[in-house]
Each structure stands twice: as C-alpha cells, then as structure tokens.
Amino acid sequence: MPPEEIPALSRGAVDLAGHRRTDDAWLDKSWADPGTRVLVLEGGDPASYGWQALLARQSRALVADGAEGGPRLVFVSPAEAPEGERFLLGADERDGTAYFAVVSAAEDPFPRVPGARPVSLREVGALLDDRDAGLFTHAVAVANWNATHRFCPACGGPTEPSAAGHVRVCVREGRENFPRTDPAVIMLVHREADGVEECLLGHNPRWPEHRYSVLAGFVEPGESLEQAVVREVAEEVGIAVAEPRYLTSQPWPFPRSLMLGFFARATGPARRTDAEEISEVRWLSRPALRAAAESGEVLLPGPVSIARRLIEHWYGGPLPGGF
C-alpha cells in the first residue's frame, strides 16, 4: 500500500520495546534520564469519574504547532511530569530516547506552552507525523484498557498495573490480565450496475444529516473475518456479498478495537435482521460520489478513519470534505 494510503492511526516510528516492560533497572534508569520524553494525558480517579467519563477525558493530550507548521505532541521530562499512572510507550532505536505516558488526575495537568492546546486523538491523529501518531494512539489505547480493567474478570478483585502498564495483576489471586483487542470488520460494498461501478454508503440515524460512511461491525466468537463481512452486510442493509478482499487495518482505541478493512462485491438481496443501525443507503458511481462530496450532499468520514482510506482507494484518489 502506498504511504499516502496507510491509515492515519496505523503509523509509527518508535519501537514498542516490549522486552523492556519488565526490566525494572532499565525503566528506573530511563525515568531518571532528563532526556526521556513523557506524554501527559488527561485522566482522573475512576472511583470519582466512572470509566465512561475517564475514557472521554483520556483522549486528550497537549499539541502545539510544529516548526514547519504541522501539529506536534508536547512532551515533558520525567521531572516535569505530573503524578499518575505511568505507561512505557517505547524507545527510539536511532537515538535511544525512551517514551512514556502519564495519565494524570489533575484538573489541568498540562504545562503552559504558548500556542498549545489539549486535543483528542480523533481531532489530530491524521495531522501528526508518524512518530507522534503512533505514540498518541498507543498511549490512548493502553490508558483506555487500564481504565476499563480495574477489577479482575475472574474473581472481581481489584487489579494493579504491572509490566509498565501493559499487564494488570489481580491483588487477590495474582492472576495476570493482558490487554485485549476487539476485532471489527469495516467494508466498502461495491457492484456493477448497467456497466457502471458503484459503491454503497450508509447513514446511521444517530449521525448528523448528510453524513455517510461504509459499513462496519464486530467479529463474533467462532467467526472468521470473511464470515463477519458477509453477515454484517446482510444484517444491516439486506445485501448479499461475495469475495471479501482485505485491504489494510487500523487500531481504533475507543476503547480497544482493531478495524480490519475489506472490499466486498454485492451479489443480490439477503435477509435483513437489523433495521436500526442503518436508516438510509446510497449507491454512488465515482463521478456521483465526487459531486456529492463537493456539494456537501454527502459528508464523508474524516481522514483519521480507515473508512476514508477504503472510500478513496476505491475512488482512486483524494476526495473533498469529511466529518
């Protein structure tokens, strides 16, 4: 896949350094190094906020305009970092710089940086460079997983972080709980009608007017990715599809999904069993899609979403607009 088509949140330039997560000596040395970079995330006390509110707060970090005009994450040294849960994000193999994230319970945990403001990953993920996009995505994913796994799923006992934030250990039984990812398929359905190639876009009734996107759904237990594509399209819009073709994937840490992008060819009608997820569908040729996007008749997904990559890959180039 050309670099310009790689999904925004699938980029990265820092080694995850998984082998360092249990190396206490290296972690302590890195945290004592003023050259270590720390990303501060908004957080809170789960006992006070509840995990739903905590997830919303954790999606923001401080971002400033870079020297070349693009947004860049604002990092602090370990000595400047606020108190909070600490996660290792990785280490740059080129210069040895270690990267951490800290989730702070402070009301305003960010340093004062002229021109900088706290923004969410959804807002800025597509605008950051590869390093910052990868670090921000990793930080939000790990923070969200920790926020939603405060208790052991086996006995209900409290858990505490281990392995630099990538494991939670039950304080009652010592059971280790590792981060889980929920796989979801996201697919662009296409067909040929009267010799013209068309793609299918759907509107969710909870979205603003004119907002359309491709179809998506979670993979069910015991189901392959290809089976999930076929089932979800039939359930949501009553269309049978064949030949699911994988394109690419993207993490979607809201809170812990992995989106797996597919194309699928429509072959006819199917039994529709979900009439609530999609309230309207439109078949659009390539010229019609561009015209609708230019006029605002159709608001396409924004550049942070893999949905945008699927649509533009099918179209053959960039498209205007987006939500």
Side-chain angles (χ1 to χ4, degrees):
M1 173 175 287
E4 64 272 13
E5 291 192 13
I6 296 175
L9 305 188
S10 295
R11 297 172 295 139
V14 174
D15 180 34
L16 296 182
H19 63 294
R20 296 295 193 183
R21 294 170 187 167
T22 56
D23 187 341
D24 292 338
W26 183 90
L27 292 170
D28 291 342
K29 180 180 178 181
S30 296
W31 191 253
D33 184 351
T36 290
R37 301 292 83 196
V38 182
L39 180 65
V40 179
L41 297 180
E42 279 186 315
D45 181 358
S48 301
Y49 290 102
W51 70 266
Q52 293 93 340
L54 184 59
L55 290 182
R57 291 168 61 85
Q58 281 183 340
S59 294
R60 299 206 306 174
L62 198 63
V63 173
D65 288 334
E68 298 179 358
R72 300 294 297 268
L73 292 177
V74 174
F75 297 93
V76 300
S77 69
E80 298 168 318
E83 293 294 323
E85 285 196 345
R86 185 193 310 170
F87 315 127
L88 175 65
L89 300 181
D92 192 324
E93 294 181 331
R94 296 167 298 182
D95 59 15
T97 301
Y99 290 90
F100 289 82
V102 168
V103 180
S104 172
E107 186 64 28
D108 183 8
F110 302 116
R112 295 291 177 262
V113 177
R117 62 188 180 93
V119 297
S120 72
L121 179 60
R122 291 176 185 262
E123 292 177 89
V124 79
L127 304 177
L128 297 172
D129 64 16
D130 291 355
R131 184 200 68 170
D132 285 5
L135 290 170
F136 200 177
T137 301
H138 186 187
V140 171
V142 175
N144 284 350
W145 175 75
N146 275 273
T148 56
H149 288 75
R150 302 281 171 174
F151 299 94
C152 176
C155 72
T159 62
E160 58 184 18
S162 180
H166 293 75
V167 175
R168 292 194 72 89
V169 179
C170 175
V171 299
R172 289 180 184 172
E173 302 177 338
R175 183 189 302 270
E176 292 183 327
N177 297 282
F178 295 86
R180 296 292 186 266
T181 298
D182 298 328
V185 290
I186 181 166
M187 46 276 175
L188 183 142
V189 177
H190 59 94
R191 72 179 183 185
E192 185 175 310
D194 299 325
V196 176
E197 186 76 10
E198 298 176 324
C199 74
L200 177 77
L201 298 181
H203 173 76
N204 185 295
R206 296 185 295 273
W207 293 347
E209 188 179 6
H210 304 304
R211 178 175 171 178
Y212 288 82
S213 186
V214 297
L215 307 179
F218 287 105
V219 180
E220 295 192 349
E223 185 176 54
S224 71
L225 300 177
E226 292 78 9
Q227 288 172 323
V229 169
V230 173
R231 174 185 55 77
E232 283 288 343
V233 175
E235 286 181 356
E236 293 186 357
V237 294
I239 294 174
V241 297
E243 303 170 8
R245 179 169 59 88
Y246 172 78
L247 178 67
T248 188
S249 65
Q250 171 171 281
W252 193 247
F254 309 110
R256 55 180 175 275
S257 298
L258 176 65
M259 308 300 294
L260 299 130
F262 282 84
F263 295 101
R265 180 173 59 85
T267 59
R271 180 169 175 259
R272 183 180 184 182
T273 58
D274 181 353
E276 298 180 357
E277 186 72 19
I278 301 296
S279 60
E280 182 182 354
V281 298
R282 298 186 62 169
W283 287 100
L284 295 164
S285 66
R286 288 180 174 85
L289 174 61
R290 183 168 192 88
E294 288 178 339
S295 68
E297 180 183 350
V298 168
L299 298 178
L300 297 174
V304 77
S305 170
I306 189 176
R308 182 72 171 221
R309 291 292 179 266
L310 289 169
I311 294 170
E312 291 187 336
H313 188 91
W314 176 83
Y315 175 76
L319 285 163
F323 55 80

